[in-house]
Amino acid sequence: MTHFDLLLIGTGSGNMFLDDRFSGLNVAIAEEWHFGGTCLNVGCIPTKMFVYPATIAEQAADATDYNLSTEFNSVDWSALQKRIFDRVDAIEAGGRDYRSGDRQPNVTVVAEHVHFTGAKTVRTASGQDITADRIVIAAGASPVIPAAEGLEPQLVDTEGYPVFTSNSIMRIPAKPERLVIIGSGIIAMEFAHVFAGFGTEVTVIARGPRLLGNIDEEVSQEFTDLFERTHTVHRGAEVASYSFDDDQVSVTLKASGRLGDVDLPSQIDADAVLIATGRTPNTKGLNVVDAGFDVLDDARLSVDSRQRVLAHGQPVPGVFALGDISSPHQLKHVANHEADVVGDNLTVDVAAGEPGAAAEADLREVNHHAVPGAVFTSPQVAYVGITEEEARQAGHATSVKVQKYSDVAYGWAMADDPGIVKLIADKSTHQILGAHIVGHEASMIVQPLIQAMAFGQRADEVAKRQYWIHPALPEVVENALLGLELDGD
């Protein structure tokens, strides 16, 4: 049995806080997969490096609204992959080398899977037992693969099997001519945009009545209406079975029950299927129940406001968690914030002596207020705060304003491209409760609203006490703010 002062499980955002503050500790890092985690290797970074050229391709293929005669001919798929993954893989290798090499002699990399056998004990896949005084669990999440007749889950993401998840779809050797995407959330919509933009015939299978169904209902419906103008979508459907014939995969559909009776094709043939039905925290694979840790109904590891892992509702001394394995937000910027909090609290915990000896007042609390998100599809979607329905259920006297992109001058420049900004505010306090945007550069123009919510700025002050560049696109946000009906106006 090998003992360490600190054991870190996972090298995504969990790898960020391990700096000079911990150079005096004997540290082990357990990583069975790629250094850098989901975001670097199969998530945020490579997907956006595909999204941007796909957006350019889409614009080239459909520019007649702007009185242009342009076209999109093809994508050099292998060259695009090389440009993206030469950079990504170099960063991954550099991170691994840094932690494994002579520059950090106090760090030992355990390059295999581990699982808990006790609160402070793990066992490696090769059978080695490791104990540690303090542990940080940052093992992320994995794709959900719904069961269906004919599907062999253990073959998904393996060579020669034409069913993929986001873990492998970007590295397929050739762009599929026909792709079925199962799912209607963020991952599904972004990949639908990528492959459709590059000329693939994409079919989306959605269980619910709308796409991006977890966001504000009105905004979700707006996105669904716009997306269905240019994409094939079967809503209220789910896969009944898979069949495979040479290089082709076929799916049969059935009604999901969430949209009543729906007219569905008998069979859809494709070169590949992408399963994008969400991600689940990796708690089961770690056997966290054997450690006595609390697990929530959605499989997340239970933590308190200081990111301490809980057992029977109480913090386990010296055990912290962060990121997708425990966070209510599967977002890289949230995981980074949580890693910052864990780093500070771990420093205080070490300085206190015994694990768990730090005073509560000396520990930072995590801030999950005004958490924003964005979907880099076509059109873009961005959101922060609560939905209109959530605001009403919470008892707010709400004011709601929906502003069209086409109402401002930059919208005219875009030939009245569709898009809306929806704001929800409290009439009496003038506080912005939620902002939801569908349209061009939504991920950028939402930022003033994120800032306003983060710092408690009133909607009327944000609208009137600063300059808004004319005729820039953020004027649609300004006009939405000005359109809110607030007490005292």
Side-chain angles (χ1 to χ4, degrees), residues 5-6 8 13-27 98-99 103-104 106-107 134 136 320 322 335-352 362-364:
D5 299 321
L6 171 64
L8 167 62
S13 293
N15 194 37
M16 297 179 60
F17 71 83
L18 195 60
D19 52 28
D20 290 344
R21 292 174 295 179
F22 308 100
S23 59
L25 300 183
N26 187 19
V27 179
Y98 176 68
R99 295 300 191 196
R103 287 177 290 177
Q104 288 203 308
N106 66 310
V107 174
R134 293 173 174 85
V136 176
F320 298 83
L322 63 96
N336 287 352
H337 165 66
E338 292 172 356
D340 191 47
V341 171
V342 167
D344 286 352
N345 288 346
L346 191 61
T347 302
V348 173
D349 192 68
V350 170
D362 294 335
L363 298 173
R364 281 180 62 187

Side-chain angles (χ1 to χ4, degrees), residues 50 62 72 116 151 158 163 187 293 298 324 331 342 370 429 434 455 482:
F50 278 96
D62 188 21
F72 166 69
F116 282 92
L151 180 69
T158 64
V163 183
I187 296 172
F293 302 152
D298 59 4
D324 290 355
L331 296 164
V342 167
T429 66
F455 292 100
L482 291 170

Side-chain angles (χ1 to χ4, degrees), residues 30 56 59 68 91 96 131 149 162 167 181 214 235 246 271 279 289 298 312 315 382 394 447:
I56 294 174
Q59 292 170 341
L68 299 174
I91 297 171
R96 183 180 296 275
T131 60
E149 181 182 345
N167 282 355
I181 298 179
N214 290 331
R235 290 179 285 127
D246 295 329
D271 304 305
R279 297 175 66 86
V289 173
D298 59 4
H312 306 293
Q447 193 63 46

Side-chain angles (χ1 to χ4, degrees), residues 238-259:
E238 61 187 14
V239 175
S241 66
Y242 294 79
S243 61
F244 303 88
D245 183 15
D246 295 329
D247 294 331
Q248 178 175 289
V249 55
S250 301
V251 297
T252 58
L253 305 180
K254 62 181 180 181
S256 68
R258 297 181 59 187
L259 197 58

